[in-house]
Amino acid sequence: MTVNYVEPRVSGTVPTSHVDLTGLDALATPRGIAIFGASSDPTKIGGRPLRFLKESGFGGGIHPINPRYDEVQGVRAHASLDDVDGPVDLAVVAVPRDHVLPAIEACGRKGVKVATVFSAGFSEQDDEGAERQRRLLETAKAVGVRILGPNTIGSLNRRTGAVGTFAAATGVRPTRPIHGRAALVSQSGAMAAHWVVEGLDRGIEFPTWIATGNEGDIDFADALAWVALHDDAPVIAAYLEGARDGDKLREALAIAQQRGKTVVMLKVGTSEAGARAAASHTASLVGADQVFDALFRQYGVIRVHSMDEVLDLTYAATVGKAPEGDRVGLFTTSGGMGILMADVATEAGLQVPPVPNALRAELRAIWPPAGVNNPIDLTAQVMNSETLLGDFADVVLREKQYDCLVMALTYMGRLEPWTDLVVSMLGRVREAHPDVPLFIAMLATPEVRSAVEELGIAVFPDVSAAVRAAGRLATHALEAGRATDDRGGGAAPRIAADGAVTEVMAKTILAEAGVPVVEERVVTSAEDAAAAAEAVDGPVVLKVVSPDIPHKTEVGGVALDVRSGDAAAEAYTRIRAAAHSARPDARVDGVLVAPMVTDGVETILGAFNDPTFGPVVLFGLGGVLVEVLGDVTYRLAPFGPQTGMEMIREIRGFAVLDGARGRPPVDLDALAQALSALSRLAHANRDVLDSVEVNPFLARPRGHGGLAVDALITTRTGRRS
Amino acid sequence: MTVNYVEPRVSGTVPTSHVDLTGLDALATPRGIAIFGASSDPTKIGGRPLRFLKESGFGGGIHPINPRYDEVQGVRAHASLDDVDGPVDLAVVAVPRDHVLPAIEACGRKGVKVATVFSAGFSEQDDEGAERQRRLLETAKAVGVRILGPNTIGSLNRRTGAVGTFAAATGVRPTRPIHGRAALVSQSGAMAAHWVVEGLDRGIEFPTWIATGNEGDIDFADALAWVALHDDAPVIAAYLEGARDGDKLREALAIAQQRGKTVVMLKVGTSEAGARAAASHTASLVGADQVFDALFRQYGVIRVHSMDEVLDLTYAATVGKAPEGDRVGLFTTSGGMGILMADVATEAGLQVPPVPNALRAELRAIWPPAGVNNPIDLTAQVMNSETLLGDFADVVLREKQYDCLVMALTYMGRLEPWTDLVVSMLGRVREAHPDVPLFIAMLATPEVRSAVEELGIAVFPDVSAAVRAAGRLATHALEAGRATDDRGGGAAPRIAADGAVTEVMAKTILAEAGVPVVEERVVTSAEDAAAAAEAVDGPVVLKVVSPDIPHKTEVGGVALDVRSGDAAAEAYTRIRAAAHSARPDARVDGVLVAPMVTDGVETILGAFNDPTFGPVVLFGLGGVLVEVLGDVTYRLAPFGPQTGMEMIREIRGFAVLDGARGRPPVDLDALAQALSALSRLAHANRDVLDSVEVNPFLARPRGHGGLAVDALITTRTGRRS
């Protein structure tokens, strides 16, 4: 394997206000590594790091710390870190929990930058362990040592040979040439180790990986930000259960996005049963899975839901290359496989444009029985011809109508006499079309896989997995082409911290924030009712305003479709009389006059204050069915109208807004602006806000904007700490 | 490999009125096989069947037919089939298309039962080929020979060694012991061959498979029915693109269901691009994918959407066993993996019941750091202990609270020193709990996989795939526990073949069929209006009835919430006057008096006549959003109320009917009865019916039934042939 050693960049070049990168370079480029509890048994947890270090090519000092021996596994040992000569930047701590604290103190004296603590028995165990961890971290902070863990499997940097792990996976070496390389950041050591082993089987190596364990100090966000800044892997595979500090995670993802990294994220805890399994989490944290989803969308993260997908996409993105658009050409050896590919491509959001007519004729001239639409069915003849695949690819790609090709070649890579043929066929296609991403679905021997991967072509055993990988990477590339970190701009009004916000106040605040609100007036005379009605363009409604009359229609307290000032005056008088007659004791504050809007689609705009991520904005259509179906989408505030438009377009019921059943399409721009305005308002008041609900917000036909008809703002009693 | 030869059962024991099993036994147990176009080159299409036959252990006569040689590949050849001594039941036809017809005529003279025609150039090619196929089939029918193909890769029966295929896959033999065996029926030869090869890699063999090619005669339904009746494989993997005869396919699936077969079905053509790819299909056939989906639900077919899923489920169902219920116990070596498993289990429809408290204490006594809820986290300690896994399984399974266990054991099957340990650990669990289905997720060497499979335990590399397989099989088992082939019963009225069906007629027909219809009367005097209103319990609505007044409200032709006979009389007079004033020339047939129902949820009940499957009933909620989201479900008519209830419960918006947002739940039984009644009506009139739409059907609160408010029945102009 070629080691591409990368000089770490100075952390200070990227402004970070939440993540803390202090000392993390020591995980990659320590001048020396000390091992507390180093064992002479190379299979024990205390023995493995030393064994791995001896084999890793690490160039710095290796210092076993063990008071019982002068040497361990043939390496000079010391009774204490204080006795070690030369610099030590990284310490591996593999001692029982009660011996960790003195080890950290010794690290402090020696100037160690990071101590990786394998030891268990801390916050993952019980309250006593949590207290033990608190004391450990307090000491580490006092002596200036950062902690990875405790209860972590550690980290590895194969580029420098810096081993800080006991994972048995470290000893597993590839049995065939590997062409995919990615970084890995994980909150679970077992998950990281599993990916390392399975990755090698699939053709990916993780030369840099960090598992964060209990996250007493260095957490997922720190590790992700460090890898994004200092590792040259273009892809980061990540495993996440939850986050304590939402701002930190958001910053780390923003850094990864700015650095152009492709983050493939397995975030678990989507279900109630999963939440129960995540014993270390509060229910609210795991319950906020939709908020994580919103975060990932905002920062261009490829979210997946299985280990298979993590590895498939990491493999596809590192061995091959991502398509820059969503137009796919599908090659197949059989009609059936072609139909399946077209189905999956559609499901994966890819376009399957037909082959232009002129080119079809050319293809037919090459091999008359071929299917020359898209999918392109080369028939089993591809197995009998040295030239057919390449000739077809040349024709199909000539007009640059396809952003990538997916080719299903059944078992050609698995059976004689086709194994050599398929490698040379694909070599010719790659040579002729070096920039076209190719995704191959076929069964293949390890040798054939490596040979094809060396061409920069990803090979999948399953045709659906190949098409889906192309689809996910294409979608990601298209999303990455949009503006990043769309935080919007503009001022927002402040909401008073204490006291109730009435509906009138809420509407005033929203209007000031830029959310259009229905123009309504409360009047207390027939004359004012007439004037208010005349000020409105179109019919109005009148409603009695009284805290004592909840059901206004029943008492005759409502008049609809009032079309003149006179009619409004009359309605005013009638409503007052009816209210008095039905409820003589009721307080009546007046009568509300508002335009009667009948051409709007009811939507809901809302914001709530997530305990981890702060204000989150939601959008959905109105009505009980939407609630039942959960057809609601979220984004972290603040954001600009572009993000608002993404929200609108991603609900399943979008067609209702876009002119379903012959209705006029609604004013999507106004809706997107309103969402952005709401997000700015929520963000500006995150210290006092509990929630905002604009329900309904009427989305009116294009050019007519929208109107908040009802609004509720609630504030917290206490302030955010 | 053990050959479990099964004496074919007599087809006649199962009444079949659509599928045609004549002669199909010859694919499995021919007394002799002739090969037209037998080649001395064992790699050629004409040479492969002979090569495979020589190696297959086939005990009958093998007869190469080739006028140019006396022997082919060492086997005595004949110039003509007429020269062959001894019986020939199966003929393989590997000659150019223009030589096929004389070969079939020779087959007829010899008494051949089935001719498998490899040759291409028939209906798959062009109109000329279609005509060639028509002539071929005409001849075959005349001489009493059934045809598999043309343009087929053929069939194989490894139990008897009957080879009727040129698939190179036939020559691929397993490299490790195989413990899964299933049958395979496919409309695509390439797909079948691919499954055969990939199956061996995954641990499944397909000893019996049939690929139907152009389906000139023997089609998918015939082959499926034959396999269901005459092969002892409990699982049938199937690939389907479409069907020409819906009744036939329905009968074949009913037979498979009656025989207790698990059918794992990859049906393609779900997308528009897929439909375009299926060039040989009409758009309507592929477009009816939802109808296939309904068919599969009705006959307990496990429908999947990728080859991976076909093989995963076939493997799980044949190597292991299906859970009989949906309660899963999840074992893991790490918390993270456990959360992921719980998420996937929930998504897959499994229950993840917590471990009872008393048992938790026992587990904690065995290994204190373990997570003893469900998922059960054994921690990495499972890799250091010979007994931990078995001891935990004993406790967890004691109270029979779990229908199956899924265990994620990371890479224990892949790395020393754990490979032997994991096999012995699982052996102990299997011995102690022989009847509990076990699904293992781990990376494993081929040797470990075979050893674990020999215990009747399925091993998956991916944890999500393992959990999903458990979920699909459990769901299938629960569905199979319900009554099968629920066709309902009872008479239904006949609809006249010709002429328009008015709304009044439609409602009369529906009421007679058993669909409750709103009780409404058309009156022509104020007195009758009063009488009609008084006959109704509760308020009524009145509407002018006129073919010339489409927008009734605009002309004052509607009165709502009329609460007495007097008020109804007055409303009648007002409506007549208003209608006359607005449209003096309009024909007015009277005024309709109907109960005003305000407590119903709007639903849609419909039926349409699918060109392949005949009448199909649909159900969904009312409203534009449902249409946009496609939240509609289908079933083939006729069916009983149980199937109706399944339809109601499977729409995504079911909670709207079941009391969402504090509303009363609706009368589900009445709704299910109405769906069943509609299905009987549609079925009884399938020869004349085009469509029925009951929109809205108001589902009223429990105990209050439901009401068809509006109904439309359309008939065909021509009759079904």
Side-chain angles (χ1 to χ4, degrees):
Chain A
M1 158 201 168
T2 321
V3 174
N4 298 310
Y5 176 70
V6 182
E7 192 64 34
R9 296 181 192 92
V10 181
S11 308
T13 55
V14 169
T16 57
S17 47
H18 298 284
V19 299
D20 180 1
L21 304 179
T22 314
L24 264 73
D25 289 350
L27 294 175
T29 53
R31 288 167 299 171
I33 301 177
I35 303 165
F36 287 88
S39 165
S40 52
D41 181 343
T43 69
K44 288 244 165 96
I45 285 180
R48 287 191 211 152
L50 185 53
R51 166 162 62 105
F52 299 145
L53 265 173
K54 285 164 61 187
E55 296 163 356
S56 76
F58 177 63
I62 304 175
H63 309 289
I65 309 296
N66 191 325
R68 287 182 292 161
Y69 304 102
D70 287 339
E71 59 96 12
V72 177
Q73 295 185 44
V75 180
R76 163 127 192 249
H78 293 90
S80 157
L81 181 59
D82 299 312
D83 303 336
V84 171
D85 283 334
V88 175
D89 293 327
L90 174 62
V92 167
V93 182
V95 297
R97 64 191 190 193
D98 293 329
H99 296 72
V100 174
L101 204 66
I104 300 304
E105 286 167 343
C107 287
R109 291 192 296 274
K110 183 69 182 173
V112 165
K113 296 193 175 69
V114 176
T116 294
V117 181
F118 297 164
S119 323
F122 292 90
S123 70
E124 85 285 359
Q125 187 158 307
D126 49 22
D127 289 347
E128 204 181 318
E131 172 57 21
R132 192 177 293 120
Q133 181 168 319
R134 200 194 55 71
R135 286 198 310 272
L136 166 66
L137 270 300
E138 201 174 70
T139 301
K141 194 168 183 187
V143 301
V145 176
R146 296 210 67 185
I147 300 292
L148 182 65
N151 188 34
T152 181
I153 201 168
S155 74
L156 179 75
N157 191 300
R158 241 182 233 291
R159 303 186 200 280
T160 62
V163 173
T165 179
F166 65 92
T170 310
V172 182
R173 302 307 304 139
T175 54
R176 64 181 181 91
I178 298 290
H179 297 279
R181 281 181 183 81
L184 195 173
V185 178
S186 174
Q187 285 186 326
S188 157
M191 197 66 81
H194 188 101
W195 294 5
V196 166
V197 175
E198 191 171 0
L200 290 177
D201 290 344
R202 285 163 168 261
I204 328 157
E205 188 165 43
F206 296 103
T208 301
W209 60 260
I210 303 174
T212 52
N214 283 7
E215 303 199 335
D217 173 13
I218 296 169
D219 70 4
F220 178 89
D222 294 327
L224 182 71
W226 186 89
V227 166
L229 287 167
H230 298 294
D231 194 90
D232 70 346
V235 177
I236 304 171
Y239 170 81
L240 183 68
E241 294 174 8
R244 282 191 212 106
D245 185 335
D247 288 332
K248 231 179 137 170
L249 181 57
R250 191 171 182 172
E251 185 177 77
L253 293 175
I255 290 170
Q257 190 180 36
Q258 283 156 21
R259 306 292 293 196
K261 303 290 182 178
T262 299
V263 178
V264 182
M265 176 80 71
L266 176 59
K267 154 77 176 67
V268 297
T270 57
S271 67
E272 209 182 304
R276 203 179 58 218
S280 62
H281 299 149
T282 66
S284 76
L285 196 157
V286 177
D289 187 71
Q290 289 142 318
V291 178
F292 279 94
D293 217 56
L295 174 73
F296 298 153
R297 286 175 196 265
Q298 277 170 284
Y299 291 94
V301 170
I302 303 184
R303 184 180 187 175
V304 297
H305 293 276
S306 72
M307 295 198 289
D308 248 358
E309 284 177 289
V310 169
L311 296 171
D312 275 351
L313 291 173
T314 301
Y315 172 78
T318 58
V319 169
K321 63 180 84 179
E324 286 171 10
D326 59 4
R327 303 164 308 167
V328 66
L330 302 172
F331 279 43
T332 169
T333 63
S334 99
M337 214 79 87
I339 306 172
L340 177 61
M341 292 170 87
D343 287 347
V344 179
T346 303
E347 176 99 16
L350 290 166
Q351 309 297 320
V352 189
V355 176
N357 275 326
L359 299 184
R360 285 193 219 186
E362 272 192 70
L363 295 176
R364 239 185 246 110
I366 297 171
W367 178 238
V372 295
N373 208 325
N374 188 15
I376 295 135
D377 180 4
L378 299 135
T379 76
Q381 176 66 10
V382 74
M383 300 168 91
N384 303 322
S385 162
E386 308 246 328
T387 56
L388 186 63
L389 183 73
D391 291 349
F392 264 57
D394 292 344
V395 173
V396 168
L397 291 173
R398 191 185 311 137
E399 307 282 348
K400 305 204 181 305
Q401 306 231 8
Y402 299 101
D403 298 302
C404 69
L405 299 183
V406 183
M407 299 178 170
L409 299 174
T410 185
Y411 41 66
M412 284 187 77
R414 165 84 169 65
L415 294 190
E416 298 289 351
W418 300 294
T419 43
D420 291 342
L421 176 67
V422 77
V423 174
S424 75
M425 276 169 18
L426 290 173
R428 178 180 146 194
V429 174
R430 172 47 77 231
E431 198 176 336
H433 310 282
D435 297 327
V436 176
L438 299 175
F439 298 79
I440 306 302
M442 68 176 175
L443 305 179
T445 64
E447 295 71 31
V448 170
R449 283 195 65 155
S450 285
V452 176
E453 288 162 2
E454 192 168 4
L455 300 168
I457 301 174
V459 181
F460 296 82
D462 183 64
V463 69
S464 301
V467 176
R468 278 195 295 256
R472 287 304 297 269
L473 293 182
T475 307
H476 177 250
L478 290 173
E479 283 168 359
R482 296 197 302 256
T484 57
D485 209 10
D486 172 34
R487 285 176 170 256
R494 288 286 301 165
I495 301 171
D498 45 5
V501 181
T502 65
E503 184 185 331
V504 173
M505 284 164 67
K507 284 181 177 166
T508 306
I509 292 167
L510 283 164
E512 203 182 327
V515 178
V517 165
V518 70
E519 282 175 56
E520 59 192 17
R521 276 179 60 195
V522 177
V523 297
T524 50
S525 71
E527 294 73 35
D528 286 354
E534 276 164 3
V536 169
D537 185 18
V540 295
V541 295
L542 284 80
K543 288 184 202 176
V544 65
V545 180
S546 166
D548 302 321
I549 305 177
H551 301 293
K552 299 175 174 65
T553 307
E554 284 181 6
V555 303
V558 177
L560 300 174
D561 202 11
V562 176
R563 290 173 178 266
S564 69
D566 287 350
E570 188 193 323
Y572 176 88
T573 307
R574 174 159 44 83
I575 284 172
R576 291 299 300 240
H580 185 72
S581 145
R583 296 286 308 276
D585 55 332
R587 283 168 297 165
V588 174
D589 299 331
V591 172
L592 187 143
V593 181
M596 183 163 125
V597 181
T598 54
D599 59 357
V601 176
E602 286 197 3
T603 68
I604 297 172
L605 280 51
F608 60 90
N609 218 333
D610 183 82
T612 306
F613 291 99
V616 175
V617 170
L618 69 85
F619 172 71
L621 297 177
V624 63
L625 186 60
V626 170
E627 205 171 289
V628 163
L629 300 180
D631 187 19
V632 173
T633 185
Y634 302 84
R635 286 293 188 281
L636 273 59
F639 54 78
Q642 174 188 312
T643 300
M645 189 64 86
E646 283 171 28
M647 295 177 76
I648 297 164
R649 290 185 176 276
E650 81 194 17
I651 63 167
R652 297 199 297 274
F654 170 65
V656 172
L657 298 171
D658 202 34
R661 253 193 182 172
R663 292 186 190 179
V666 308
D667 197 326
L668 300 177
D669 290 326
L671 204 48
Q673 290 284 354
L675 284 163
S676 170
L678 175 59
S679 82
R680 289 197 309 271
L681 175 69
H683 182 70
N685 294 280
R686 65 185 291 179
D687 51 345
V688 297
L689 198 70
D690 184 40
S691 71
V692 182
E693 189 177 341
V694 184
N695 182 9
F697 181 90
L698 289 177
R700 303 187 60 197
R702 192 168 293 161
H704 292 80
L707 278 181
V709 174
D710 212 341
L712 182 69
I713 293 181
T714 58
T715 57
R716 311 193 203 182
T717 46
R719 281 168 176 273
R720 193 180 165 88
S721 60
Chain B
M1 158 199 169
T2 321
V3 173
N4 298 311
Y5 177 70
V6 182
E7 191 63 33
R9 298 180 190 90
V10 180
S11 308
T13 56
V14 169
T16 56
S17 48
H18 299 283
V19 299
D20 180 1
L21 303 179
T22 314
L24 265 72
D25 289 349
L27 295 175
T29 53
R31 289 168 296 171
I33 301 177
I35 303 165
F36 286 88
S39 165
S40 52
D41 180 344
T43 68
K44 289 241 165 98
I45 286 181
R48 288 191 210 152
L50 185 53
R51 167 161 61 105
F52 299 143
L53 266 173
K54 287 165 58 187
E55 297 163 356
S56 76
F58 178 62
I62 304 176
H63 310 288
I65 309 296
N66 191 324
R68 285 182 293 160
Y69 304 102
D70 287 340
E71 58 97 13
V72 177
Q73 296 185 42
V75 180
R76 162 122 193 253
H78 293 89
S80 158
L81 181 58
D82 300 312
D83 305 335
V84 171
D85 283 335
V88 175
D89 294 326
L90 175 62
V92 166
V93 182
V95 297
R97 64 191 189 194
D98 293 330
H99 297 72
V100 174
L101 205 64
I104 299 304
E105 286 166 344
C107 287
R109 291 191 297 274
K110 182 68 182 170
V112 166
K113 297 194 174 68
V114 176
T116 294
V117 181
F118 297 164
S119 322
F122 292 89
S123 71
E124 85 286 358
Q125 187 160 307
D126 49 21
D127 288 346
E128 203 181 320
E131 172 57 20
R132 191 177 294 120
Q133 181 167 317
R134 199 193 56 70
R135 287 197 310 269
L136 166 66
L137 271 299
E138 202 174 69
T139 300
K141 195 169 182 183
V143 300
V145 176
R146 295 210 66 186
I147 300 291
L148 182 64
N151 188 32
T152 181
I153 201 169
S155 74
L156 180 75
N157 191 302
R158 241 182 233 292
R159 305 185 199 279
T160 62
V163 173
T165 178
F166 65 93
T170 310
V172 181
R173 299 308 303 139
T175 53
R176 64 181 181 90
I178 299 289
H179 298 278
R181 282 184 182 78
L184 195 173
V185 178
S186 173
Q187 286 186 326
S188 157
M191 197 66 80
H194 187 100
W195 296 3
V196 166
V197 176
E198 191 172 359
L200 291 177
D201 291 344
R202 285 163 169 261
I204 327 157
E205 189 165 42
F206 296 102
T208 302
W209 61 259
I210 303 174
T212 52
N214 283 7
E215 302 198 337
D217 174 12
I218 296 169
D219 69 4
F220 179 89
D222 295 327
L224 182 71
W226 185 89
V227 167
L229 288 167
H230 299 294
D231 193 90
D232 70 346
V235 177
I236 304 171
Y239 170 82
L240 183 66
E241 293 172 9
R244 280 190 212 108
D245 185 336
D247 289 331
K248 231 179 138 171
L249 181 57
R250 191 172 182 172
E251 185 176 76
L253 292 176
I255 290 171
Q257 191 180 36
Q258 283 156 22
R259 305 292 293 195
K261 304 290 183 179
T262 299
V263 179
V264 181
M265 176 79 73
L266 176 61
K267 154 76 174 69
V268 298
T270 58
S271 65
E272 207 181 304
R276 203 179 58 219
S280 61
H281 300 148
T282 66
S284 78
L285 195 158
V286 177
D289 186 72
Q290 288 143 319
V291 178
F292 280 93
D293 217 55
L295 173 74
F296 298 153
R297 287 174 195 267
Q298 276 169 284
Y299 291 94
V301 170
I302 302 184
R303 183 181 189 176
V304 296
H305 293 277
S306 72
M307 295 199 288
D308 247 358
E309 284 177 288
V310 170
L311 296 171
D312 276 350
L313 291 173
T314 302
Y315 171 78
T318 59
V319 169
K321 62 180 84 179
E324 287 172 11
D326 58 4
R327 302 164 308 165
V328 65
L330 302 171
F331 280 42
T332 168
T333 63
S334 98
M337 215 79 85
I339 306 172
L340 177 61
M341 292 170 88
D343 286 348
V344 180
T346 303
E347 175 99 17
L350 292 167
Q351 309 297 320
V352 189
V355 176
N357 275 325
L359 300 184
R360 283 193 219 187
E362 272 193 70
L363 295 176
R364 241 185 244 109
I366 298 172
W367 177 239
V372 294
N373 208 326
N374 189 13
I376 295 136
D377 180 4
L378 300 134
T379 75
Q381 177 63 11
V382 74
M383 301 168 92
N384 303 321
S385 163
E386 307 246 328
T387 57
L388 187 63
L389 183 74
D391 291 350
F392 263 56
D394 292 344
V395 174
V396 168
L397 292 173
R398 192 186 310 137
E399 306 282 350
K400 307 207 181 301
Q401 305 231 8
Y402 299 101
D403 298 302
C404 69
L405 299 182
V406 184
M407 299 178 170
L409 299 174
T410 184
Y411 41 67
M412 285 187 77
R414 166 81 169 68
L415 293 190
E416 298 290 353
W418 301 293
T419 44
D420 290 342
L421 176 67
V422 77
V423 174
S424 75
M425 276 170 16
L426 291 173
R428 179 180 145 194
V429 175
R430 170 49 73 232
E431 198 174 337
H433 310 281
D435 298 326
V436 176
L438 299 175
F439 298 79
I440 307 301
M442 68 177 175
L443 305 179
T445 64
E447 294 73 30
V448 170
R449 284 195 64 155
S450 285
V452 176
E453 287 162 3
E454 192 167 5
L455 299 168
I457 301 175
V459 181
F460 295 82
D462 184 65
V463 68
S464 301
V467 176
R468 278 195 294 255
R472 287 305 295 271
L473 293 182
T475 307
H476 176 249
L478 290 173
E479 282 169 0
R482 296 196 303 254
T484 56
D485 210 10
D486 171 35
R487 284 176 171 257
R494 288 285 303 165
I495 301 170
D498 46 4
V501 181
T502 66
E503 184 184 332
V504 173
M505 285 164 68
K507 284 181 178 165
T508 306
I509 291 167
L510 284 164
E512 202 182 327
V515 178
V517 165
V518 71
E519 282 175 56
E520 58 191 16
R521 277 179 58 195
V522 176
V523 296
T524 52
S525 72
E527 293 72 36
D528 287 355
E534 275 164 7
V536 170
D537 185 18
V540 296
V541 295
L542 284 81
K543 287 184 204 176
V544 65
V545 179
S546 165
D548 300 322
I549 306 179
H551 301 292
K552 300 174 173 64
T553 306
E554 283 180 9
V555 303
V558 177
L560 300 175
D561 202 11
V562 176
R563 290 173 179 267
S564 69
D566 286 352
E570 187 191 324
Y572 176 89
T573 308
R574 175 157 45 84
I575 284 172
R576 291 299 302 238
H580 185 73
S581 146
R583 297 284 309 275
D585 54 332
R587 284 168 297 166
V588 173
D589 299 331
V591 171
L592 186 144
V593 181
M596 183 162 125
V597 180
T598 54
D599 60 357
V601 177
E602 287 196 3
T603 68
I604 298 171
L605 279 52
F608 61 91
N609 219 335
D610 183 82
T612 307
F613 292 99
V616 176
V617 171
L618 68 86
F619 172 71
L621 296 177
V624 62
L625 187 60
V626 170
E627 202 171 290
V628 164
L629 299 180
D631 187 19
V632 174
T633 184
Y634 303 84
R635 286 294 188 280
L636 273 59
F639 54 79
Q642 174 189 312
T643 299
M645 190 62 87
E646 284 172 26
M647 294 178 76
I648 297 164
R649 290 185 176 275
E650 81 193 18
I651 61 167
R652 295 200 298 274
F654 170 64
V656 172
L657 299 170
D658 202 32
R661 253 192 184 174
R663 292 186 192 179
V666 308
D667 198 326
L668 301 177
D669 291 326
L671 204 47
Q673 290 284 356
L675 284 163
S676 170
L678 176 59
S679 81
R680 289 197 308 272
L681 175 69
H683 182 70
N685 294 282
R686 65 185 290 180
D687 52 345
V688 297
L689 199 70
D690 184 41
S691 70
V692 182
E693 188 176 342
V694 183
N695 182 8
F697 181 88
L698 290 176
R700 301 188 62 196
R702 192 168 291 162
H704 291 81
L707 277 180
V709 175
D710 212 340
L712 182 68
I713 294 180
T714 58
T715 56
R716 312 191 205 183
T717 46
R719 281 170 177 272
R720 196 180 165 86
S721 61

